Amino acid sequence: MIWEENRVMQSYGSLLLVILLLPCGLMNVILTVNNNTQNFVLQTTPGTSESLKCAVQNHSQAEELLWYRKNGRVDLKAENKINSSDICIYPIRADDNGITFTCKLQRNESMSISVILDVTYEPILGGTDLQTAEEGSSIKLDCNVKANPQAQMMWYKNDSVLNLEKNHHQIYQTSELFQLSISKVLKSDNGTYSCHAKSPLKLEIKDFHLIIEDKKIVIPNEPIIAAAVVVTCTILFGLIARREQIIKLCIKDKKAQSDTSL
């Protein structure tokens, strides 16, 4: 009995030793990306390429590595997974700004290092070049903008800073939109509006041509239809009355001819 109890105690002791030693193996492991042991920001520009090297230091066994782009797993070749893994990002694009790449230890994904791309680029502007509006209506000029760093935005009209009139002009701005709204447009609103985006890298300008057309005279359909119905009914009644008169004359003529014959 005592021998069995000792055996059980030895089994528990061995299991406890394994549990205690397992974290120690991970505690000695150090993960690095481009020699950085912490998350970091990588500054870059469009059209260039960037290499990221993830490595395991102080490992006591073969460690498999995983790469993620945002939340999506990056496909790696078998020989590019163990203890060291490289990925190349090419070409860098403006849309890559803010994208996160993360390297993780496969057997313990809580051990990871993330790299955030900081892509700097000149302002990029877009929008509809030519727009028309009827006098008295409202219109919006949408200047789509992308820039890093953020650009300072301004509206110009005919090469001069636009004078914003209360209850006539309104500005709406987000990180990717610079919008000018004009209420109840007038003939004087006709002209070229310029969207200016000024960043430390460059001043970018996009022109929007606004043409104000004369207000169209709209004739209501209901009065026209009503008038047409009245005219049509009058003509029909006139024809019916005329037909009755013609029939009466024909009867009189026939009777007159019959009396003459007698």
Side-chain angles (χ1 to χ4, degrees):
M1 186 69 178
I2 297 174
W3 178 80
E4 289 183 357
E5 289 181 356
N6 290 336
R7 187 177 178 183
V8 171
M9 290 297 294
Q10 288 177 357
S11 299
Y12 277 117
S14 300
L15 181 60
L16 181 61
L17 182 62
V18 170
I19 294 173
L20 290 174
L21 289 176
L22 181 61
C24 292
L26 285 176
M27 287 177 64
N28 293 328
V29 170
I30 298 175
L31 202 62
T32 64
V33 173
N34 291 7
N35 297 321
N36 291 279
T37 57
Q38 302 291 332
N39 299 339
F40 66 98
V41 175
L42 178 61
Q43 293 187 338
T44 183
T45 55
T48 60
S49 65
E50 295 293 344
S51 296
L52 299 177
K53 182 181 182 65
C54 184
V56 184
Q57 308 292 336
N58 302 333
H59 56 86
S60 58
Q61 64 183 62
E63 299 286 358
E64 183 176 344
L65 296 171
L66 307 174
W67 272 107
Y68 288 85
R69 183 185 188 276
K70 297 173 69 173
N71 295 323
R73 182 94 165 263
V74 177
D75 291 332
L76 300 172
K77 294 182 179 180
E79 62 272 17
N80 190 30
K81 293 181 178 181
I82 307 302
N83 296 334
S84 179
S85 181
D86 298 86
I87 61 172
C88 181
I89 311 165
Y90 177 81
I92 296 293
R93 300 173 300 178
D95 291 339
D96 291 325
N97 184 51
I99 296 296
T100 300
F101 287 86
T102 304
C103 179
K104 296 184 178 183
L105 201 65
Q106 190 274 336
R107 69 176 173 127
N108 183 8
E109 293 194 21
S110 65
M111 292 191 65
S112 64
I113 296 179
S114 295
V115 183
I116 302 175
L117 298 185
D118 181 16
V119 185
T120 58
Y121 54 94
E122 300 172 351
I124 303 172
L125 303 181
T128 304
D129 297 338
L130 177 62
Q131 290 185 246
T132 59
E134 185 179 309
E135 190 175 6
S137 65
S138 297
I139 194 168
K140 294 178 180 179
L141 303 180
D142 290 343
C143 180
N144 302 313
V145 55
K146 294 178 65 176
N148 186 35
Q150 190 84 21
Q152 294 180 349
M153 307 300 296
M154 184 76 71
W155 278 106
Y156 282 66
K157 180 185 178 185
N158 299 331
D159 298 326
S160 297
V161 176
L162 177 63
N163 180 28
L164 299 177
E165 300 176 18
K166 188 177 181 180
N167 299 326
H168 188 56
H169 298 108
Q170 185 174 359
I171 299 292
Y172 174 75
Q173 185 175 4
T174 67
S175 60
E176 295 189 351
L177 176 65
F178 190 53
Q179 182 186 81
L180 172 65
S181 298
I182 307 176
S183 302
K184 299 179 181 179
V185 295
L186 308 170
K187 281 289 186 179
S188 57
D189 292 317
N190 198 79
T192 299
Y193 293 79
S194 301
C195 175
H196 287 224
K198 184 179 181 181
S199 83
L201 303 177
K202 184 183 179 183
L203 170 64
E204 189 69 25
I205 301 173
K206 180 171 179 59
D207 291 335
F208 295 81
H209 304 286
L210 179 61
I211 299 175
I212 307 302
E213 299 177 338
D214 293 331
K215 189 172 184 178
K216 297 181 179 65
I217 300 175
V218 180
I219 301 176
N221 292 327
E222 290 79 3
I224 296 176
I225 295 173
V229 170
V230 171
V231 171
T232 302
C233 291
T234 303
I235 293 173
L236 287 175
F237 289 140
L239 290 174
I240 292 171
R242 183 65 177 165
R243 181 173 178 274
E244 291 177 354
Q245 290 179 355
I246 293 172
I247 290 173
K248 288 180 182 178
L249 289 174
C250 290
I251 293 173
K252 286 182 181 180
D253 289 342
K254 286 181 180 180
K255 186 175 181 182
Q257 289 178 2
S258 298
D259 293 340
T260 304
S261 298
L262 294 173

